[in-house]
Amino acid sequence: MAAAVDALDAKILRLLLEQPRTSVREYARVLGVARGTVQARLDRLERAGVITGYGPSVSPSALGHPVLAFVHIEVTQGHLDDVGDALAGVPEIIEAFSITGAGDLLTRVVARDNEHLEDVVQRLIRLPGVVRTRTEMALRQRVAHRVLPLVESVGRAAAAAAGRDRAGARREG
């Protein structure tokens, strides 16, 4: 079940995404609310799993790994957890998901160059339980990882719902 995020939560999340190194005190000043209110909201959003971490975004490309590929992995039945655990030991895998459709796992893999990517894929093929892989190389990123548009959409929906609730209460009162 999704955590209830109201318009103030969405404003806090927007500030957190746009200005991650700003203090809670400054967020409170910008929003015109008490620092304790902002901190309590942040704590609740963390507990609810809406906020999952505070850290820098690190560029694999700037770390010398400019090649990005998506590797689909087909797994022998009953070995999904074993293969998933083994993937955690491959540093070039920066994400892995269980999926539906063709394949069982989808991994996001970074590499220094095409030859390094081939080495990583060969390492994956040798994992016990891996039946086959299919690799797709990314050519250019068209939309960077983002959640701000989603946060803004949720905030607008929450504000609209609150407005409807207030209007309904005025009609009833």
Side-chain angles (χ1 to χ4, degrees):
M1 184 172 134
V5 173
D6 65 14
L8 179 57
D9 291 336
K11 288 177 184 177
I12 292 168
L13 290 169
R14 179 185 182 131
L15 283 174
L16 192 62
L17 290 166
E18 290 179 333
Q19 304 168 32
R21 296 180 65 170
T22 302
S23 69
V24 172
R25 181 181 310 248
E26 181 62 13
Y27 293 150
R29 187 193 66 73
V30 168
L31 294 169
V33 298
R35 190 197 71 71
T37 299
V38 173
Q39 188 62 61
R41 296 286 185 118
L42 288 170
D43 292 344
R44 182 179 54 77
L45 291 168
E46 287 174 24
R47 283 191 308 274
V50 174
I51 296 173
T52 58
Y54 297 91
S57 294
V58 178
S59 166
S61 184
L63 291 174
H65 288 68
V67 175
L68 172 63
F70 299 91
V71 179
H72 299 256
I73 302 172
E74 188 176 322
V75 176
T76 303
Q77 281 192 326
H79 290 87
L80 189 61
D81 289 340
D82 297 333
V83 173
D85 291 344
L87 295 178
V90 180
E92 294 86 357
I93 294 179
I94 56 176
E95 287 184 295
F97 300 91
S98 298
I99 60 171
T100 62
D104 300 298
L105 293 163
L106 175 64
T107 62
R108 196 167 126 198
V109 178
V110 294
R112 294 183 302 273
D113 52 36
N114 291 350
E115 292 80 14
H116 182 218
L117 176 60
E118 182 181 11
D119 293 343
V120 172
V121 171
Q122 290 301 315
R123 181 175 175 191
L124 298 178
I125 290 169
R126 288 190 299 270
L127 292 175
V130 171
V131 175
R132 78 178 44 87
T133 65
R134 180 174 54 88
T135 303
E136 299 168 349
M137 290 186 60
L139 300 175
R140 181 183 307 164
Q141 185 177 51
R142 298 295 179 162
V143 177
H145 175 78
R146 66 198 182 133
V147 292
L148 184 55
L150 178 62
V151 167
E152 290 173 336
S153 174
V154 168
R156 284 190 299 273
R164 287 189 301 272
D165 290 347
R166 285 191 298 276
R170 282 193 297 271
R171 282 193 299 273
E172 293 174 6

